[in-house]
Amino acid sequence: MSTTNPGKNVLGSDVEIKGNLKFSGELTFEGKLDGEIQTDGVLTLGDTAVVSGNINAQSVVVRGKITGNVNAKEKIEIKAKAELFGDIRATKLVIEEGVTYVGKTEVNPNKVAPTPPPKPTEPAKTAEPAGKPPGR
């Protein structure tokens, strides 16, 4: 990994943060965070990561432990041995075998809020006289 690339950031396992975290580009987080994470980039939570708070990102890769809701505009990948306690919303979702996950899931590849089904209506009434077959 190049140290001259400002788009990639790493916070190691010895980092503990109380408060919200915002960044752009890519971040690999291995430490503990008590607060929210907000980004239009890619968040990777390493094996030792422990997050207590909501996450809003473009894409998220989870290897550690999250207690909170996760929203991703693109994709959420939950890797083997990860623990996630909260609701997730994403366009794409990948969950590997061996994951501990408790929460609700909303996966919507169309990125458009689903429209409610139309309400049932009465059959259309024709203005045709009763003696003529309709449409002639």
Side-chain angles (χ1 to χ4, degrees), residues 9-19 21 27-34 45 48-51:
N9 304 294
V10 177
L11 292 174
S13 59
D14 55 344
V15 174
E16 286 190 34
I17 299 173
K18 286 194 180 199
L21 180 62
L27 173 68
T28 299
F29 186 76
E30 298 276 356
K32 292 181 181 174
L33 174 77
D34 189 357
L45 296 175
T48 58
V50 178
V51 176

Side-chain angles (χ1 to χ4, degrees), residues 62-98:
V62 182
R63 288 191 168 85
K65 182 176 180 178
I66 301 175
T67 304
N69 299 332
V70 182
N71 267 325
K73 289 181 188 146
E74 286 184 12
K75 182 164 69 169
I76 298 174
E77 287 185 65
I78 307 173
K79 301 294 189 181
K81 297 181 183 174
E83 296 181 29
L84 201 158
F85 301 92
D87 298 345
I88 55 179
R89 291 179 67 187
T91 304
K92 296 177 187 168
L93 174 64
V94 179
I95 301 179
E96 290 186 355
E97 192 174 346

Side-chain angles (χ1 to χ4, degrees), residues 6-9 23-27 39-43:
K8 289 191 176 188
N9 304 294
F23 68 93
S24 56
E26 294 180 38
L27 173 68
T39 182
D40 55 5
V42 178
L43 172 66

Side-chain angles (χ1 to χ4, degrees), residues 42 59 122 133:
V42 178
S59 292
E122 293 181 26

